[in-house]
Structure formats: C-alpha cells, structure tokens
Amino acid sequence: MGPLISITKLRFLLQDDIWRERRLSAPVCAVTGPIGSGTSTALECLFYVLGLSKGDVAEMPPMTACKELHLLCIISGVPWTITRAPASGNVVFREARDGGIVKPFPLTGRSGKPCAGDFVLELLGIPRAQRSGARLGLPQLMRAMYLQEGTISTHLFGGLSTEERKLVFDVLLGLRDEELTRLEDAYTEADRAHAAPSRLLSQLTKRRAERGLDHPDLVLAEQSRKQDELETARKTAQDYQEQLSDIAAQRGRLELAVGQARQQEKTARKAAEKAQQEAEQAATELAGARGYLRGLKHRAARRTHCSECRQELPARPAGHCCQCGQPLADSEGGMRQDELDEAQARIDLAALTASQRRGHYAHAVQLARQAEEKTQQTEADLARHERDQWKPHHQRTLDAENRINYLAGEIAQLQERLKEIQLLIDLTAQVEPLKQARTKAREALDAARRERDTRRKDRILLWSQHLLKHARAILPGVDQAHIDPDSYTTVIGHKRFDICSVAGGERILHNVCALLALQDVAHEVPDTLIPPLLVIDCPGYGSETNDLDRTTATRLITQILGQAHDDRTQTLLAAQSLPAQDTATGVRRIPLTHEHRFFDHAPHSTDQGA
C-alpha cells in the first residue's frame, strides 16, 4: 500500500468573502443529491485543487467562482493544506504545523521545473516514469483512483491508453523497481556499446563478401603495380605538358599576328573610307566651279529681246546697252573678263585636286585589300595550327592527366581496402568482449525480469481474484473475471471491457470492480504504491433511466460503501441516492438538493485560520 492519505476537509472562500467548508474525514464519505445539485462538482474540486485543469477535470462554474480553495489532508502522518486560487496560476502546499514548509508550484511544468502534480506524486512516493511514449503524472494516476461521471460508463480507467495502463499499473503494483530499472539501463548501455562496432563489423564483412575482395597480400601487390604505373603516367604527362607549352607559345604568336593584321585591316579600311569621302568632296567642288563659270558666261551674253515686252531689240552701237541704248561704263567689261578668268582658274584647281584624291582613294582601296588578304592568311595559319598542333597535343595532355587521376583513385581505393582489413581485425578484437558484457547484462536483466514476472503474475492473479469477488457480489451469476496481463484491461464473464455496451451498466461494473479489487491488493500486499484513496462518481444509482436494475445497482453501491478495510483507506462517493439506511451505516453523508448546493449552502468554516 502506498503512503497513507486521508482527505479531511475542503474549505472555500466565495464571492461574499465568507469562508465555508465541507468535512470529508471518514473512511467512507458519500455526497448525494439529484443531478445539478453539485455532487460531481464536489469530487472534481478535490483534484482541481491539486493542480489539474481542463482536459483532466471539469472546471465547473461553482468552483472557478471561488476566490480561494483549501484542501486539508494528511499524507504519511503529515497534515497539509493545499491552496489554489482560480485567478492564480499556482498551487501552494503548506505543512499545517509550526515551522512547516511552504512550497508554491505552477500548474504546468516549464523548462524542466516541477509542477503541482509532480509534487503530489512526490508526496505519495510515486516516481514519475515514462515508457513507449506514455508517461506517469498526476493526470494518469488520478484515473487509477478516480472514476469520473463523464467516463465511468464509457472508458476503461478514465480513458488511459494501453501503454499508459501498462506503465501506471506496473508502477502501482510495485513491478517497476529501481534495481530492475538499473539493470535495464545497464543492458541498454551494454547493448548500445556493442551495437555500434558490431554493426560496422557486419557492414564491412558484408561489403567484402559482395565485392569479392582479395587477400591483403594481393591488395599490396596491386597497390605497388598501380604506384609504378602512376609514376610513369606522371613523367609522360610532364613531357606532354612541356611540348604543349612550346605549342602554346607558338599559338600565342599566331594569335598576336592575327590581332595585328585585323587592326591593320581596320586602319586601312578607315583610310580608304576617308579617301573616298575626300574624293567625293573634290568632285563636288569641281562641279560647283564649273557651274559658277557657266553662270558668268550667261550673264555676259548680249540680250536679243526686251526683258519687259519680249520683243526683238534693235541693233545698238558697240559700247551701248542692247536694251536701253545707253553708253556702257568702261570698267564693267573688264570686270566680267576677270571673273571669267578667275572662275576658269578655280575649275583647273578643283580638277587637279579631284584627280589627286581619286588617286589617293585608289591607293587606299588597294592597301585595304592587301590588309584583308593578310588577315585571312594569318587566320588560316592560326586555324591550321589549332587543328594540326594545339588540339591534338592538348587532348593528349588531358588524357595523360586523366590517367594520373584514375590511377590515384585506384590507389586510394586500395589503401581504403587495406584500412578496412585492419579495421576488421580491430573491430573483431573489440566486439568480442563487448558481446560478452552485453550477454552478461542480458542474463542479469532476464533473471530480474523473471523474478518481476513472477511477482507480476502473482499480483495480477490476486487482482483478478478480487475482481471476481466483487463482480460476483454484484452479479452472482458471473463465472469468471480477470485482468488481462498484457493490456491491463478487464474481462468479466466472457466480455472484455471494449466489447461491452457503450455508456451502459456493464462498463460501470468493470470500472468499479477493477478499482475496488485494486484497493484490496493494496491492503494485502504492503510493498505496492497504490494510494489508499478511492473516488467514485456513480450517477447510475437512484436514476430513473439507469441501465442497471435496482437490485444490481444496490449491490454495486453496497460494495463501494463497504470498501473501507480500516481507517487507513478512504472512499469518496457521489451518487443520486444511497440504498436503505441499514446498508449504509457508518458512512458520512453530505446530502444535497437544488436548494442546498455543495458550495453555496455549505456551513461556515470554524477554522480561525481561514
């Protein structure tokens, strides 16, 4: 049995700033009343104060409306006052004695720090555990102590998964001891130490078998031969590289010559274009001079018709105007002749210039053509050199370098194969003692597990016997009942829990009988960690629409009420009503009605410290 725990009182401060309380100090305490009077709230509130919230308990308005709640309990002989204010994010644990410790804890653990639920497990002596993705915390422990109204008729142990059930009940039944954990850790460490070199040894051995690797002496001989080939290839590549350097120098000279020829061709073309422009300009100037001369001659010709009436003019004496007959000035005739002479001189000069520039243009065109031919020749020489010299020698040099790289890679592979061989030898020597250590750790672990399995078999058998006892007390016709050792599910009669009718009395029977039987195991086997506290919210009894008939329901409630073995065990029950008075003697009753609710109409607290 786990550490003794007894809930003595629940004290709460309502919005009217008056402290009220409900006393729960009795081996069996029953909260009864119709639906809506707060019977379920009374039980949910106990775990709410311990630090559980939405998802684990129903945060009903009456308890979240309280300014502060105190849960007074005794754990292992030490009185504790556990305080939670809904507006706060902490739960405060106080030892209710002079000089007692005070420990505040958050509702949820962060950054590895413990939460309120973790401290509750510590007080109960239950280790936090984790396995196969499941963990044991206060929410999981609660489902092995508390059958809630919302899940008692639908889910086995409040909805614990198979892995969670295996972890929780292994711990509570004392099947997960520290020595076994130490041996499991020792085997895990030995297996891990052996696995890495063993896996590598297996991979290397498999790879050698797949590749058909030769004997180490053959590998060494092949490495020596490849090394000689590599040296020869390097000398050949060096010779080719020297030859290629000479060819590259010649190639560079040809490329320089091509560049110079192209530049000369470009310069000659520009000179030809300029000479062409100058020749065309000279031709234009010559044509202009000739036109100017024609104009002068036209002006100097004698007029034969009047410029006004267009009639033929009469003959005039020499030296007179042919139109008006007036004598001409002597200087006018001389001026016209000078102009004609000057115009002729301009024509002669322009003709000479045009002839010279045509000659320059023809010479420039010839030079440009010669430069183009030289460019074509140098380009042809470069192309021929590329084809006949550079490319063949360059490719030959590349092939030699590729051969060097290939041989270097072959030698590197041979060196790796030699390393593998040495590694195989080292790994074989290393794996053998690790294998022996793992075998020894496995044998010790198997022996501990066999001993644990024997205890597990005995304790599950004892649990099953008590399950059958309670099932027969409620349903006398039941011929068998047991706890499945692989999944910790219940079987009553010939039905497993998961094939029983959903939300029916059969599932209530499974849940209630399983936890009653678990408490019996805790009473008989001292070294278990099962908390001697059982909380059951059983709405079926007293209902007009329950699936259990009245007689069966009475037997079930009677089994719950009679569960207290002594003052070390406490059972808290919520139901609509109890059986006849004579079957529920010695039970502390907290009767509720719609007019007398659990919180609003609780007695005022007599504790002066409140």
Side-chain angles (χ1 to χ4, degrees):
M1 179 179 292
L4 299 181
I5 175 172
S6 175
I7 297 175
T8 59
K9 186 188 301 184
L10 179 66
R11 192 168 58 220
F12 37 89
L13 179 64
L14 300 184
Q15 296 298 320
D16 56 8
D17 291 328
I18 296 176
W19 282 94
R20 293 176 170 82
E21 66 181 30
R22 290 289 186 180
R23 293 184 177 275
L24 306 172
S25 55
V28 179
C29 183
V31 183
T32 60
I35 296 175
S37 61
T39 55
S40 296
T41 304
L43 301 188
E44 295 281 308
C45 184
L46 303 179
F47 290 92
Y48 174 78
V49 176
L50 293 177
L52 298 183
S53 298
K54 290 180 180 179
D56 296 312
V57 296
E59 294 187 354
M60 300 180 181
M63 60 189 184
T64 56
C66 295
K67 291 185 176 181
E68 195 170 319
L69 299 102
H70 293 178
L71 180 65
L72 282 69
C73 58
I74 299 174
I75 303 176
S76 297
V78 179
W80 288 89
T81 298
I82 304 173
T83 302
R84 178 173 179 180
S88 170
N90 291 330
V91 177
V92 180
F93 294 79
R94 292 183 176 87
E95 279 191 85
R97 58 187 179 185
D98 293 339
I101 63 173
V102 178
K103 288 191 174 184
F105 288 93
L107 296 177
T108 56
R110 295 177 181 176
S111 302
K113 296 182 179 179
C115 62
D118 297 331
F119 187 63
V120 172
L121 261 64
E122 181 181 335
L123 291 177
L124 295 175
I126 296 174
R128 286 184 291 170
Q130 195 166 354
R131 182 178 65 195
S132 301
R135 65 179 300 270
L136 172 55
L138 183 58
Q140 292 74 31
L141 175 64
M142 178 195 72
R143 288 170 173 81
M145 302 164 56
Y146 178 24
L147 295 176
Q148 295 171 279
E149 176 186 14
T151 58
I152 188 173
S153 61
T154 57
H155 296 77
L156 180 61
F157 300 122
L160 288 175
S161 67
T162 300
E163 291 301 325
E164 287 177 329
R165 290 197 302 271
K166 291 164 68 174
L167 177 61
V168 169
F169 292 118
D170 274 356
V171 172
L172 294 185
L173 291 172
L175 303 177
R176 190 175 172 85
D177 53 48
E178 293 183 0
E179 177 61 18
L180 181 59
T181 302
R182 187 191 67 78
L183 292 174
E184 288 177 343
D185 292 342
Y187 173 71
T188 300
E189 178 62 25
D191 184 61
R192 184 196 61 78
H194 171 266
S198 177
R199 183 168 53 252
L200 181 57
L201 177 60
S202 177
Q203 292 173 350
L204 292 176
T205 304
K206 181 179 179 181
R207 182 163 51 179
R208 285 182 59 80
E210 290 175 348
R211 293 163 55 187
L213 297 182
D214 297 325
H215 190 273
D217 292 341
L218 295 178
V219 176
L220 286 171
E222 185 178 0
Q223 182 188 27
S224 177
R225 181 174 61 81
K226 293 288 185 180
Q227 191 67 45
D228 292 340
E229 291 182 11
L230 177 62
E231 293 301 327
T232 302
R234 284 175 175 168
K235 185 176 182 305
T236 301
Q238 183 177 1
D239 294 340
Y240 287 168
Q241 186 64 46
E242 292 175 354
Q243 295 174 16
L244 185 64
S245 297
D246 296 338
I247 294 173
Q250 184 180 358
R251 181 169 177 263
R253 289 191 292 272
L254 289 173
E255 288 177 342
L256 178 61
V258 169
Q260 292 175 345
R262 287 174 179 172
Q263 183 61 39
Q264 292 173 0
E265 179 185 357
K266 182 178 178 181
T267 302
R269 287 185 181 278
K270 286 184 178 180
E273 291 174 357
K274 183 178 180 181
Q276 182 182 8
Q277 292 174 355
E278 291 176 349
E280 290 174 352
Q281 183 180 2
T284 301
E285 292 176 353
L286 176 60
R290 287 173 177 173
Y292 178 72
L293 179 61
R294 283 195 300 270
L296 289 178
K297 289 180 177 182
H298 180 71
R299 283 165 47 195
R302 293 183 63 86
R303 190 178 298 275
T304 58
H305 292 78
C306 179
S307 60
E308 294 295 331
C309 63
R310 301 297 181 184
Q311 295 183 20
E312 186 177 357
L313 294 173
R316 302 292 186 185
H320 290 74
C321 177
C322 61
Q323 184 164 333
C324 66
Q326 297 295 326
L328 298 174
D330 293 339
S331 60
E332 184 176 351
M335 287 179 61
R336 288 181 179 175
Q337 186 61 43
D338 292 342
E339 289 177 352
L340 292 174
D341 294 342
E342 183 180 355
Q344 184 60 49
R346 286 177 59 189
I347 290 173
D348 294 343
L349 179 61
L352 178 61
T353 301
S355 176
Q356 290 175 347
R357 290 184 177 178
R358 282 195 300 273
H360 292 161
Y361 172 62
H363 181 66
V365 168
Q366 183 180 4
L367 291 177
R369 189 175 296 111
Q370 291 174 355
E372 181 180 2
E373 291 174 354
K374 184 178 180 180
T375 300
Q376 293 175 351
Q377 181 62 40
T378 55
E379 288 177 345
D381 293 342
L382 177 60
R384 185 166 50 257
H385 181 271
E386 288 270 355
R387 183 186 67 248
D388 299 339
Q389 298 292 327
W390 171 257
K391 287 185 177 180
H393 284 79
H394 184 257
Q395 184 61 47
R396 185 177 64 176
T397 303
L398 289 178
D399 292 342
E401 292 176 351
N402 290 336
R403 175 64 177 170
I404 292 172
N405 294 333
Y406 170 77
L407 291 172
E410 288 282 305
I411 292 172
Q413 289 183 4
L414 291 172
Q415 290 174 344
E416 288 298 321
R417 287 164 64 180
L418 290 172
K419 288 181 181 179
E420 286 182 3
I421 293 171
Q422 185 59 45
L423 183 59
L424 284 172
I425 297 173
D426 296 341
L427 286 174
T428 302
Q430 180 183 356
V431 164
E432 189 58 31
L434 291 174
K435 181 179 179 181
Q436 294 175 1
R438 186 188 66 166
T439 301
K440 184 177 179 180
R442 182 69 190 192
E443 290 173 351
L445 176 60
D446 289 343
R449 283 179 173 173
R450 284 193 296 270
E451 189 275 333
R452 192 275 309 270
D453 290 343
T454 301
R455 283 188 291 122
R456 187 170 187 271
K457 179 179 178 181
D458 294 341
R459 292 182 183 183
I460 293 179
L461 177 60
L462 180 62
W463 190 4
S464 298
Q465 291 170 349
H466 286 292
L467 176 67
L468 178 60
K469 176 190 71 176
H470 288 290
R472 281 179 174 172
I474 299 171
L475 296 176
V478 172
D479 59 346
Q480 63 172 348
H482 67 272
I483 302 294
D484 188 312
D486 296 324
S487 61
Y488 282 108
T489 190
T490 54
V491 179
I492 297 180
H494 297 280
K495 285 188 176 182
R496 293 169 56 91
F497 179 90
D498 52 5
I499 64 172
C500 292
S501 58
V502 177
E506 289 181 320
R507 294 196 170 190
I508 294 176
L509 177 69
H510 279 249
N511 271 319
V512 172
C513 290
L515 290 194
L516 291 176
L518 186 64
Q519 288 294 316
D520 293 337
V521 174
H523 186 260
E524 293 186 22
V525 182
D527 62 346
T528 62
L529 298 176
I530 303 167
L533 174 65
L534 182 59
V535 184
I536 299 177
D537 189 353
C538 188
Y541 190 80
S543 171
E544 297 297 332
T545 59
N546 64 81
D547 293 323
L548 296 172
D549 60 34
R550 177 66 58 181
T551 301
T552 303
T554 300
R555 291 172 182 162
L556 186 145
I557 295 295
T558 301
Q559 286 292 302
I560 296 173
L561 297 177
Q563 181 62 18
H565 298 283
D566 47 42
D567 58 359
R568 295 182 300 170
T569 305
Q570 186 176 28
T571 301
L572 303 178
L573 170 67
Q576 294 187 39
S577 63
L578 295 181
Q581 186 68 27
D582 57 350
T583 63
T585 58
V587 176
R588 175 185 288 273
R589 297 168 179 263
I590 302 178
L592 304 177
T593 65
H594 290 299
E595 293 75 26
H596 187 85
R597 299 177 182 275
F598 184 82
F599 282 95
D600 298 338
H601 303 93
H604 289 192
S605 177
T606 59
D607 194 332
Q608 297 300 317

